[in-house]
Amino acid sequence: MINASFVEMRTLAGGKKRKTPAYYLSTKVSGATRLKYIKKDDIELVRRRANSWKYYSLNLSEHVKISKEIEKLFRKLGTLSLEIPDRYK
């Protein structure tokens, strides 16, 4: 997995259109976005690895969200099932 976004560029710096697209990896380094050129031979491998990171991070965030919801429900269940003496409430 590669912690970066896969980017396809169809324009040149001056705004002209390219005949064939160029591919880059976009990463954040110290708050700034950096593009790294991908060679033609490596495009498919890098695309698969970048996409696998994308789906991994999306699934991980969903897992964290669900885990927090489950923990909240367990805490609620714990407070409902315990009889706490009035002096400790």
Side-chain angles (χ1 to χ4, degrees):
M1 288 188 285
I2 300 173
N3 184 3
S5 297
F6 188 79
V7 179
E8 178 181 301
M9 301 287 247
R10 294 193 172 267
T11 57
L12 295 170
K16 295 180 181 180
K17 296 285 184 183
R18 298 177 66 97
K19 291 181 181 179
T20 59
Y23 297 96
Y24 295 89
L25 280 177
S26 174
T27 58
K28 290 269 187 177
V29 178
S30 302
T33 302
R34 304 279 185 223
L35 294 175
K36 184 174 181 180
Y37 179 74
I38 303 171
K39 294 180 182 179
K40 189 175 182 178
D41 296 339
D42 300 332
I43 290 173
E44 285 307 313
L45 175 65
V46 172
R47 179 182 297 171
R48 280 197 317 266
R49 289 185 179 182
N51 283 338
S52 66
W53 175 263
K54 175 182 167 183
Y55 294 122
Y56 169 77
S57 63
L58 288 174
N59 286 328
L60 186 61
S61 67
E62 187 67 23
H63 171 75
V64 168
K65 187 170 85 172
I66 291 170
S67 294
K68 286 182 181 180
E69 187 177 330
I70 290 170
E71 181 183 355
K72 186 173 110 179
L73 292 172
F74 270 119
R75 288 184 186 278
K76 185 176 180 181
L77 180 64
T79 58
L80 293 175
S81 64
L82 291 176
E83 291 184 22
I84 302 172
D86 289 335
R87 64 177 179 226
Y88 295 115
K89 288 186 179 178

